[in-house]
Each structure stands twice: as C-alpha cells, then as structure tokens.
Amino acid sequence: MKALDESKRLPLLVRWRLRREQSRRRTGVLVFAEIREPLRSLTYKAGVVSLWENGIELCSRSRDTKLPKFVELPPGAHRFEFKVLRVRAGKSTSFQKAVDLKEGQILVALCDPVQSNVFYRRSPDADTWEVGVVSP
C-alpha cells in the first residue's frame, strides 16, 4: 500500500467522480480498480476488489463493474479492510487502515490488482493500492 500521490494525475473517471462528490460536500470513500480484463476472459487471475468496514462489504469492483464507486459515510473514525479476492485461484490479499474522516473529506483508494498481461500493459507482480484522504 502506498500513499496517494497528489502530484500524480488521477484517472479521468476518478477525477470527474471526485469533483462531483466534492461539489456536493459529501464525506466518504471513492474506490477505483484498474481492471483490464475483458468480460469473456477465463483467467484464474480474475479478481474482485472490495472495501469492508466492521465485517460489512461497502462496495466492490470487478471486470463487470469498472467505474469508480463512491460510498457516503458519516464523519469520524473508520477502520477499513481493503481486499482483492481471486475467485478461481482461491487466493486473496488484504490490509487494514484506520482513517479519521472530517466533514467533506473523501478517502480515495486506487487498486491495480494482479491480472493477466495485455499487449499494451504488464500486470504488477503484487496487488498495488494507493490510498489517501482528499480534502475539499
């Protein structure tokens, strides 16, 4: 897990969704997974990226749902678990992070999971996360 580098440009869809939620002055989490696998791919590396809090799944992203997902949360202390589950391989990776969200702050979580290599981009060797809080 790396801290979100604010000098690096966020993916276009993430920037749009982030601006939209900030203009509404909402507090919560924005999750985006860079999944490059086609829908009909039958690879054992196909994964589901999900965000959990207190044993409850807040949202998930897979090759069927590639758009950024925003979940509104109340301000305060939260303990999140970030997971990547590979259904066919029966493997998963996860880590936990405690965050104290203030009014109007959004936790942005970008994931680049291990997946099949495509001709225009190699997959990382391990699931990569960039997580950081963005203030209005």
Side-chain angles (χ1 to χ4, degrees):
M1 194 258 326
K2 296 188 315 185
L4 186 67
D5 185 3
E6 293 189 33
S7 64
K8 186 177 120 184
R9 286 186 66 111
L10 296 172
L12 182 63
L13 292 172
V14 174
R15 287 194 316 252
W16 283 346
R17 189 65 192 261
L18 182 61
R19 272 191 236 132
R20 179 176 158 199
E21 302 308 334
Q22 284 178 326
S23 69
R24 294 177 177 177
R25 292 180 170 75
R26 295 171 78 184
T27 304
V29 179
L30 182 64
V31 178
F32 179 69
E34 295 184 42
I35 298 174
R36 298 174 294 279
E37 296 177 13
L39 287 174
R40 294 186 173 194
S41 172
L42 294 174
T43 175
Y44 68 94
K45 291 185 179 179
V48 176
V49 175
S50 59
L51 175 67
W52 297 71
E53 183 180 26
N54 300 327
I56 300 170
E57 184 178 27
L58 298 177
C59 68
S60 66
R61 304 284 81 197
S62 68
R63 60 185 174 192
D64 300 331
T65 53
K66 295 182 181 182
L67 295 175
K69 175 71 175 179
F70 180 79
V71 178
E72 190 167 13
L73 296 170
H78 298 274
R79 185 156 186 81
F80 298 114
E81 185 174 10
F82 301 84
K83 292 183 182 182
V84 177
L85 172 66
R86 273 172 250 328
V87 180
R88 290 184 184 270
K91 296 179 182 176
S92 67
T93 60
S94 68
F95 73 94
Q96 294 184 354
K97 181 172 178 70
V99 178
D100 186 24
L101 291 175
K102 293 174 180 51
E103 186 73 36
Q105 287 186 326
I106 297 175
L107 177 75
V108 177
L110 307 175
C111 181
D112 191 3
V114 172
Q115 49 199 311
S116 299
N117 290 322
V118 290
F119 67 92
Y120 55 87
R121 182 158 178 222
R122 279 192 62 76
S123 172
D125 295 332
D127 299 325
T128 337
W129 287 88
E130 286 187 57
V131 180
V133 176
V134 177
S135 296

